Amino acid sequence: DDQRLKYATPGELARALDPKTRQTPALDLIDKHLREVADGTCDRLMLSMPPQEGKSTRLQVVAAWLLLDDPSRRVVFASYEQGLAAVSGLAVRQMFETHGSGFQGAKHDPDRDDVLGLALDPSRGAATAWRLAETSDVPAPGGVISVGIGSALTGRPADVLIVDDPIKDAAHADSPKIRQNLKDWWESVGMTRLAPNAIVIVVQTRWHEDDLIGWLVTEDDPAHPKWAQISIAAQALAEDPTARPPIGPDPLGRQPGEWMDSARLNHDGTTRTPEQWEEKRKSMGRGGRWWTAMFQQ
């Protein structure tokens, strides 16, 4: 059956996999742009938003969703180290193990609910490189490969490149050498391994004006931009066209000063309150560099 018709957005698939999934306005906005990615109207998307607001988990669902859309896609996850990328690749593999139509560990379980309609190839099931099973409908199946930035991708073309957390920490962000190494990898490895019409998604918390997203923005042609950009601040900012970069309308339609609806829940099931947001800002120096970079983008 056509699983894509069942799950029009990654958020719908996320709720099918886990009914407890919390869908926030920020995730709704991300889903809207990802729908455009799947429809072919956008093939370059970059997203920055505060840490621990569900972006990495949503990217894992996105990988599964894009494979439902086209099971022949070869998806590459890249992060600042392979171990982190492998966490995402393994999470997607486990979705197919638990909610797919065939292979789970070493057993077939015909009684398990089939949410995804696809199965893993049991002979290609490594955490860092796995493939879907061949069927009459999917004679050349794709899968997921996980790499650390700096690693080679020789012989591994990518139909989807997802770069999540390309910078490890503040020390790496402030190192011109590490930032240059990242740019070199991007140009000499990441971009050279893309298949025709490949999708590229870059997601990060901002660290530095010359981090990957900052650099890609400066390299893009403002008259004919290749990239769609989503930048979500924890607290909505007032428009300021004279700022550098200019601050436009809030992407979530909030009024200046309004806090984002957090994907992170308290122990009692309530969402983060304005007072808790203020406490977070206070703990980070009341608007110092790391607050304005990591939370305000």
Side-chain angles (χ1 to χ4, degrees):
D1 55 9
D2 191 337
Q3 299 292 346
R4 183 179 178 186
L5 293 178
K6 292 174 64 176
Y7 310 114
T9 66
E12 290 185 16
L13 175 58
R15 284 191 293 269
L17 297 172
D18 180 2
K20 296 180 181 179
T21 296
R22 175 169 169 72
Q23 184 74 13
T24 64
L27 292 175
D28 283 336
L29 178 64
I30 294 169
D31 280 356
K32 173 181 177 292
H33 284 269
L34 289 167
R35 176 76 267 171
E36 294 172 355
V37 166
D39 288 340
T41 58
C42 169
D43 63 3
R44 298 286 186 274
L45 176 64
M46 48 184 153
L47 163 68
S48 58
M49 62 187 293
Q52 299 185 340
E53 287 299 331
K55 58 185 183 298
S56 292
T57 301
R58 181 52 50 94
L59 283 179
Q60 295 160 9
V61 176
V62 165
W65 184 71
L66 289 172
L67 283 168
L68 294 187
D69 178 47
D70 182 353
S72 69
R73 280 181 168 136
R74 296 155 296 186
V75 180
V76 173
F77 270 102
S79 297
Y80 63 79
E81 63 182 13
Q82 180 160 346
L84 182 62
V87 169
S88 290
L90 179 59
V92 184
R93 191 188 77 176
Q94 289 173 338
M95 292 177 196
F96 286 96
E97 288 178 343
T98 306
H99 302 283
S101 57
F103 181 75
Q104 183 177 24
K107 297 180 181 179
H108 290 272
D109 184 359
D111 297 324
R112 191 177 65 253
D113 288 341
D114 181 3
V115 174
L116 297 172
L118 295 168
L120 289 178
D121 180 345
S123 67
R124 300 288 183 90
T128 57
W130 55 264
R131 192 175 72 180
L132 295 171
E134 293 184 19
T135 67
S136 58
D137 295 329
V138 189
V144 173
I145 295 171
S146 305
V147 300
I149 288 173
S151 302
L153 275 170
T154 304
R156 295 177 172 179
D159 300 299
V160 180
L161 173 61
I162 299 175
V163 178
D164 183 24
D165 283 335
I167 292 179
K168 180 178 181 180
D169 53 26
H172 281 202
D174 282 345
S175 166
K177 180 180 179 180
I178 291 176
R179 294 199 309 271
Q180 187 59 50
N181 289 343
L182 172 56
K183 297 171 189 176
D184 290 343
W185 178 88
W186 179 267
E187 293 183 328
S188 65
V189 178
M191 292 298 96
T192 64
R193 303 313 305 168
L194 296 181
N197 302 314
I199 294 166
V200 183
I201 303 171
V202 177
V203 181
Q204 66 167 97
T205 293
R206 296 300 306 273
W207 288 94
H208 190 282
E209 60 267 23
D210 191 39
D211 59 21
L212 183 57
I213 283 182
W215 175 65
L216 289 173
V217 169
T218 61
E219 292 290 301
D220 207 9
D221 181 354
H224 304 283
K226 295 180 180 179
W227 289 89
Q229 183 180 9
I230 308 172
S231 179
I232 301 173
Q235 188 177 38
L237 300 165
E239 291 187 55
D240 185 357
T242 66
R244 292 292 177 267
I247 300 173
D250 182 73
L252 302 179
R254 298 171 296 174
Q255 295 300 311
E258 185 178 349
W259 293 102
M260 73 181 296
D261 183 2
S262 179
R264 189 172 184 179
L265 296 177
N266 297 316
H267 293 302
D268 60 1
T270 60
T271 190
R272 184 179 267 168
T273 65
E275 292 76 18
Q276 288 171 324
W277 275 119
E278 289 287 358
E279 185 62 30
K280 171 61 71 174
R281 177 164 58 183
K282 180 180 177 181
S283 72
M284 297 184 70
R286 291 186 181 275
R289 172 187 171 183
W290 301 120
W291 172 261
T292 56
M294 299 173 66
F295 283 83
Q296 294 299 93
Q297 314 310 314

